[in-house]
Amino acid sequence: MNSFMPSTTFAVLLLPFIAALFAPALTQLLKHNAAWILALVPAAIFWHFSGFLPVISAGEVVTGGYQWVPALKVNFSWYIDGLSLTFALLITGIGTLIVLYSGGYLKGHAQLGRFFSFILMFMGSMLGLVMSDSFLMFFIFWELTSITSFLLIGFDNKREASRRAALQALVVTGGGGLFLLAGLLLIWNVTGYSEMSLLLRSGSLLADSPYYIAIFVLVLGGAFTKSAQFPMHFWLPNAMEAPTPVSAYLHSATMVKAGVYLLMRLNPVLGDTMAWHIVLPLFGGTTLIVGTLLAIRQTDLKLMLAYTTVSSLGLLVMLTGFGTEKAIEGAVLYLVAHCLFKGALFMVAGIIDHEAGTRDVTKLGGLMTAMPITFAAALASAISMAGLPPFFGFLAKEEIYAGLWQVSFWGGLLTIVAIVGNALMFVIGFVVALKPFLGRRKLKLGNVHEGPVLLWLGPVLLATASLLTAIFSPMTHRLITSPMASAVEGEPVSAYISLVPHIGMPLLLSLITVAIGVFAYINVARLRALMIYALYKIGWGPDKGFDQFIRGTVRLSFRVTNVIQPGRMEFYMKVIFILVAVSILLPMALFDEWPAMPQWPDTISRYEAVIMAIAAVGLFSVLYAKDRLTAIVSLGIQGFAVALLFMLFGAPDLSFTQFMVETLSVVILALAMTRLRLTPTDHRALKEKIIDTIISLACATAFVLLLLKVTQLPFDTTLSDFFTRYSLSIAHGANIVNVILVDFRGTDTWGEIAVVMVAGLAILSLIRIRTRPANAIAANDPAEEDERL
Amino acid sequence: MRTLIFRTVAPYLASLMILFSIFVLLRGHNEPGGGFIGGLIAASAFAIYGIACGVSPVRRALHFHPMAISGTGLLASTAAGMLSIFFKVPFMTGLWLDIPLFGDSIAVSTVMLFDIGVYLVVVGSITSIALALEERPNS
């Protein structure tokens, strides 16, 4: 690591956050045209990272960074290889277009500046995630993407659906993040490496470790929640409550791929095991099929796209898990292709929504003449999504089939899953791209026209990219596919697939896919009705399950709180004193450590006897006091007597403090009593009184025994010797007690005075809330809440 | 409790107690005393003053909200601990400075600042509780 050199990469990683800081002010100044300037930020980052392409495609890796917390061996370090570079280029490239698109889409929105700020913060987090070398940094950025996603989904915070979706996404992905944290810590513990670059060179260290399964499950917990794998997929369609630029950017092109990124990143060290080859394709394949079936059921353009995103993520996980060289290449190609076409299609859906006022595919039609540019971009993207030439999606699909097709049960099964999934995605792609534009214009739509350049620029450029990357496939492979696939595979890999059809199994499988797809497209309305019926019959889904889970948690915590916090002072006191007695007496009984019978002193001086008599008198008058004020004052008498004893036995500081504490507690208690009814009522029944007496006697006995025991043990003088010797020489103080308080154990005192202050604040607010209505505390009851709903 | 004698004596008694509390605070490092005890004495002074003459004269005399005094104390103690950063020694290391004054030298230290912070926290917190309790609920 080339340390302490100022690095442009570091500056570039910070840049989005700095831009986020200034975005609101800039937007205030320039309104939606601020997009043109803000888009320069991701564009500049894109430019910076594309400078790495020659080095990375030559098979090298670039690392850099700084020490962060040297004591814990935590660095702020980045690692650039084919995988992270491709992601960085996608994040910043699509990010540039998204910033522009947002300017058009949210033109005139009062909170546009805040939106830009959130988007840029997300961009910085995502970029940091893929660049991170050290685990801690990776985890922090991982959670930051969850948090920024929460902010963006809930952007329209006045709508309850957005708030619910935002919270749901945060709970699911944030909860998964905790799994990931545990997984990363475990990896750190097992290998001793806290950086990706070192871990990737550790060979089969992890796969051979006895903790492999634990690590595997924890990492999957993080990856599957983030990448919306079944059955944790439900948050992603709900996240469509966010404005469309967010859906296009976070929930199709970038953030949801973070889980796939994690799996790909760890493939060289975690992959190639039985568990990996079975669990990943199983979940991925299920997600693929479930996602496409749920997509068919939808009529909202964005929801259809969202569910196909779920299935695409499933496909990527399935391929990563299958793990043959070709499958990895297929995954890499598909990942890039998906970013390009899905991002474009989402933006198209947004344009249609923006211009026509609806996203419902059954209410749309005949917009081709009104929106020719949008239509062209949509069509191109849909062709890529369907896996047809001459677009990049075609290369991806061919490579997927080449990777999956094996004459074995597992390979055959997954191939069938992929064919079904691809065919259904073919359908959705064309439903989104054709239905709104072809056919007769629906009357309700009114006068629809093409969106402004800020809106259509993004989809057009992405569609063009889909085309160019496919036409110039050798260059794409050299710069992007091969380096990325090599990084995922852990050894050099080269991709060769091009638009020229190769006669063989993949082409045949593609033809089958297209045939099924065309058939399904014609019958899409019937399929939709079938799916709606099937889902109605099932009646329950993970989305409902999530609500049940949350409600159950609230109920459980309410019940637990009701049991341990019933709000009755007597109960608290009883529990506390019983515990005190038990915790002192039980160890003594268990370890047979009773104190020896103390020796009664031969002579007691008269004043000692008098003081003890005063203390005893004080105690008895507490017990026999008729009203509380007398009891308080009597307690004070006993306290003063004890203070006198301290003084006699040579502890002036202690005695001094005891005097003050006793005085003040008598004063404060007396003051508190003036606010209560002073009538001497003891509502306790005889039985309760007896129980309370037993508890207090037990406590008293416990303390007496403990004190006796303590004084009977040999006295270890190490500490007192130390303090006596050094109090004056080191801490310049002759009063050892005070020197300990303010110097030797100063940090303790510091904590204590903080507690004193917080306690003061708490008491102050308790005194002040007396006027609140009596039923205010019960308002958290979930049962009541349900009744209100 | 508001007898004429008590009301007449209380201001003098309270001021004497506060003076004494500062004395106790400052001698604390070498002889019995210190921030905690000093703070308690000062707090009882304010409590007595409040019982004798009512809460609002005390609040006026204090000028700041007692909780603000407490907060200042915590801040002072924290600052006393943090000053060590600038001398590259661990947190809470005592730093000493001898200031020559009238031919004698006075030792000033972060430890003393820390103790003053303790004093202020105790005075502020307990006074604010006492005063809040002394205020009649209906007033």
Side-chain angles (χ1 to χ4, degrees):
Chain A
M1 192 178 304
N2 146 2
S3 58
F4 304 125
M5 286 277 287
S7 148
T8 36
T9 303
F10 181 66
V12 151
L13 287 177
L14 283 185
L15 196 56
F17 295 103
I18 297 167
L21 214 58
F22 292 108
L26 197 66
T27 313
Q28 202 130 49
L29 209 66
L30 297 174
K31 305 282 177 259
H32 69 279
N33 283 320
W36 294 107
I37 294 178
L38 289 173
L40 291 177
V41 171
I45 304 173
F46 183 86
W47 178 252
H48 172 78
F49 280 116
S50 57
F52 284 104
L53 277 172
V55 185
I56 301 298
S57 60
E60 288 175 46
V61 296
V62 179
T63 57
Y66 305 99
Q67 286 192 334
W68 195 2
V69 189
L72 297 176
K73 289 190 195 146
V74 171
N75 296 321
F76 189 95
S77 51
W78 51 91
Y79 176 68
I80 307 175
D81 65 351
L83 179 59
S84 46
L85 185 63
T86 307
F87 263 92
L89 291 175
L90 286 171
I91 291 162
T92 51
I94 298 179
T96 312
L97 303 178
I98 289 290
V99 169
L100 293 175
Y101 182 80
S102 310
Y105 189 79
L106 289 172
K107 181 179 170 183
H109 193 290
Q111 305 291 354
L112 180 59
R114 186 194 291 177
F115 185 82
F116 278 137
S117 186
F118 288 167
I119 277 276
L120 287 165
M121 273 195 273
F122 166 77
M123 191 183 296
S125 316
M126 191 68 204
L127 199 60
L129 190 156
V130 296
M131 282 292 139
S132 293
D133 193 11
S134 87
F135 291 167
L136 194 69
M137 185 177 152
F138 179 82
F139 173 74
I140 288 172
F141 282 120
W142 177 280
E143 293 294 57
L144 273 180
T145 59
S146 292
I147 293 167
T148 44
S149 152
F150 167 79
L151 292 173
L152 284 165
I153 298 171
F155 179 68
D156 193 0
N157 54 27
K158 298 230 169 70
R159 282 197 8 257
E160 192 179 347
S162 321
R163 294 201 302 270
R164 174 177 181 265
L167 207 58
Q168 190 180 50
L170 186 68
V171 169
V172 174
T173 57
L178 293 182
F179 276 86
L180 175 68
L181 177 64
L184 289 175
L185 289 177
L186 206 52
I187 293 178
W188 191 347
N189 225 329
V190 168
T191 60
Y193 299 131
S194 65
E195 306 206 314
M196 300 286 183
S197 50
L198 297 174
L199 179 71
L200 289 175
R201 269 181 256 141
S202 71
S204 61
L205 196 58
L206 275 183
D208 297 338
S209 145
Y211 297 104
Y212 175 77
I213 287 298
I215 293 170
F216 176 71
V217 169
L218 289 169
V219 167
L220 289 198
F224 281 6
T225 47
K226 198 85 166 178
S227 281
Q229 295 298 296
F230 182 84
M232 305 307 274
H233 65 280
F234 53 89
W235 70 266
L236 181 54
N238 288 342
M240 294 301 125
E241 294 295 338
T244 304
V246 178
S247 312
Y249 192 37
L250 273 71
H251 304 122
S252 76
T254 55
M255 187 187 95
V256 290
K257 297 219 169 67
V260 176
Y261 170 82
L262 176 68
L263 295 177
M264 287 182 162
R265 174 53 84 215
L266 295 177
N267 183 45
V269 285
L270 281 184
D272 214 15
T273 60
M274 268 299 266
W276 187 269
H277 286 318
I278 291 175
V279 174
L280 263 63
L282 199 66
F283 276 88
T286 315
T287 310
L288 171 60
I289 297 296
V290 170
T292 46
L293 288 177
L294 290 172
I296 293 279
R297 180 230 175 283
Q298 302 298 332
T299 55
D300 181 318
L301 291 177
K302 263 177 85 177
L303 281 178
M304 290 159 81
L305 291 172
Y307 278 109
T308 54
T309 304
V310 170
S311 45
S312 299
L313 294 168
L315 180 59
L316 287 171
V317 169
M318 184 171 104
L319 291 168
T320 310
F322 195 68
T324 60
E325 196 182 304
K326 286 270 177 201
I328 296 292
E329 276 172 32
V332 165
L333 286 166
Y334 188 77
L335 190 140
V336 176
H338 180 256
C339 285
L340 299 178
F341 69 67
K342 195 56 75 63
L345 282 175
F346 262 113
M347 289 197 234
V348 164
I351 299 174
I352 294 172
D353 189 17
H354 197 259
E355 300 302 326
T358 178
R359 297 193 306 247
D360 192 329
V361 77
T362 55
K363 292 183 186 147
L364 289 163
L367 293 177
M368 181 170 71
T369 46
M371 308 169 84
I373 306 174
T374 311
F375 175 58
L379 189 62
S381 302
I383 293 173
S384 185
M385 179 167 170
L388 297 176
F391 289 93
F392 200 58
F394 172 69
L395 304 187
K397 188 168 52 68
E398 292 296 294
E399 199 74 349
I400 289 170
Y401 287 145
L404 286 179
W405 174 249
Q406 282 177 0
V407 189
S408 70
F409 170 71
W410 198 226
L413 183 70
L414 292 182
T415 309
I416 293 170
V417 167
I419 289 174
V420 174
N422 272 329
L424 290 176
M425 281 201 266
F426 175 103
V427 177
I428 302 292
F430 282 116
V431 167
V432 172
L434 294 182
K435 295 259 162 165
F437 296 101
L438 300 182
R440 281 200 320 157
R441 177 81 73 96
K442 299 267 159 71
L443 287 174
K444 272 189 190 161
L445 288 176
N447 186 22
V448 180
H449 53 81
E450 186 62 82
V453 59
L454 274 173
L455 284 181
W456 56 252
L457 189 66
V460 166
L461 283 179
L462 287 180
T464 317
S466 282
L467 183 64
L468 292 181
T469 42
I471 292 175
F472 300 107
S473 60
M475 199 168 112
T476 316
H477 292 326
R478 192 168 58 79
L479 293 178
I480 302 280
T481 322
S482 299
M484 181 165 161
S486 309
V488 178
E489 190 66 32
E491 52 200 41
V493 174
S494 325
Y496 297 106
I497 185 87
S498 73
L499 283 176
V500 184
H502 303 268
I503 307 298
M505 209 53 205
L507 195 63
L508 179 65
L509 295 172
S510 287
L511 290 176
I512 297 174
T513 310
V514 172
I516 300 176
V518 169
F519 176 75
Y521 180 79
I522 295 166
N523 294 306
V524 70
R526 227 165 290 163
L527 271 175
R528 186 180 298 142
L530 191 70
M531 270 316 293
I532 291 173
Y533 178 73
L535 287 175
Y536 171 74
K537 277 285 158 196
I538 297 169
W540 185 88
D543 190 32
K544 254 189 201 152
F546 177 81
D547 282 346
Q548 287 163 346
F549 170 73
I550 295 290
R551 218 174 300 144
T553 313
V554 173
R555 257 163 221 260
L556 180 72
S557 63
F558 186 75
R559 248 174 238 163
V560 170
T561 314
N562 258 355
V563 170
I564 59 171
Q565 300 274 338
R568 281 180 33 239
M569 190 70 176
E570 281 165 33
F571 172 79
Y572 297 155
M573 302 294 272
K574 252 182 208 154
V575 169
I576 289 170
F577 282 116
I578 290 174
L579 275 178
V580 164
V582 167
S583 61
I584 296 176
L585 289 175
L586 197 65
M588 281 191 185
L590 283 181
F591 297 100
D592 199 25
E593 288 278 346
W594 303 106
M597 192 61 198
Q599 235 178 4
W600 200 252
D602 296 330
T603 53
I604 303 177
S605 63
R606 199 172 297 147
Y607 47 82
E608 283 172 3
V610 170
I611 292 167
M612 279 191 264
I614 293 174
V617 168
L619 275 182
F620 275 106
S621 46
V622 172
L623 290 177
Y624 287 100
K626 280 277 176 279
D627 60 90
R628 290 181 176 128
L629 211 56
T630 321
I632 292 164
V633 174
S634 312
L635 200 62
I637 294 174
Q638 181 267 347
F640 276 121
V642 174
L644 278 174
L645 278 181
F646 285 147
M647 185 109 85
L648 288 181
F649 288 97
D653 277 279
L654 197 55
S655 148
F656 210 166
T657 315
Q658 173 86 3
F659 272 122
M660 289 320 301
V661 168
E662 286 300 332
T663 315
L664 274 172
S665 49
V666 167
V667 169
I668 286 180
L669 276 174
L671 286 172
M673 283 304 146
T674 60
R675 298 170 163 263
L676 304 172
R677 274 180 298 141
L678 283 173
T679 41
T681 50
D682 194 341
H683 62 88
R684 291 176 300 177
L686 183 66
K687 198 177 123 196
E688 279 182 75
K689 277 187 181 169
I690 292 172
I691 293 174
D692 288 353
T693 313
I694 292 171
I695 293 172
S696 57
L697 282 179
C699 268
T701 318
F703 273 113
V704 168
L705 292 177
L706 182 69
L707 286 175
L708 281 178
K709 184 71 196 174
V710 167
T711 49
Q712 281 167 9
L713 289 172
F715 185 62
D716 183 354
T717 57
T718 321
L719 278 178
S720 48
D721 285 349
F722 172 85
F723 288 130
T724 321
R725 194 173 318 138
Y726 293 111
S727 174
L728 199 57
S729 58
I730 296 181
H732 310 275
N735 179 1
I736 299 175
V737 177
N738 197 57
V739 168
I740 293 174
L741 277 178
V742 296
D743 200 332
F744 286 126
R745 311 285 309 167
T747 312
D748 282 353
T749 312
W750 185 55
E752 281 157 17
I753 57 174
V755 171
V756 167
M757 187 178 157
V758 172
L761 281 172
I763 292 170
L764 208 56
S765 44
L766 279 176
I767 297 171
R768 293 268 159 84
I769 58 168
R770 61 179 180 271
T771 49
R772 287 259 300 279
N775 57 356
I777 291 167
N780 283 324
D781 192 339
E784 276 177 30
E785 216 162 286
D786 286 353
E787 278 164 29
R788 273 191 280 119
L789 290 174
Chain B
M1 268 190 256
R2 297 190 184 178
T3 61
L4 183 60
I5 299 173
F6 191 32
R7 259 186 298 158
T8 316
V9 172
Y12 300 101
L13 185 65
S15 16
L16 271 179
M17 281 173 79
I18 287 166
L19 199 64
F20 181 64
S21 76
I22 294 170
F23 163 70
V24 167
L25 159 70
L26 292 180
R27 84 202 274 259
H29 213 58
N30 290 314
E31 280 161 276
F36 249 106
I37 303 171
L40 289 173
I41 295 172
S44 30
F46 289 121
I48 287 171
Y49 191 30
I51 292 171
C53 307
V55 173
S56 42
V58 186
R59 292 219 190 268
R60 259 202 309 281
L62 278 171
H63 188 73
F64 300 107
H65 190 285
M67 237 37 231
I69 296 176
S70 188
T72 312
L74 191 55
L75 192 68
S77 293
T78 313
M82 301 284 268
L83 274 178
S84 57
I85 287 178
F86 300 106
F87 297 87
K88 299 203 168 162
V89 284
F91 179 63
M92 280 286 174
T93 307
L95 302 166
W96 291 79
L97 190 66
D98 281 317
I99 298 173
L101 195 73
F102 305 125
D104 205 350
S105 84
I106 306 255
V108 178
S109 65
T110 56
V111 175
M112 194 168 96
L113 180 62
F114 183 82
D115 217 8
I116 292 171
V118 173
Y119 174 87
L120 292 177
V121 169
V122 174
V123 176
S125 301
I126 296 187
T127 308
S128 68
I129 296 167
L131 291 185
L133 285 169
E134 280 170 20
E135 266 161 342
R136 305 305 306 175
N138 47 5
S139 65

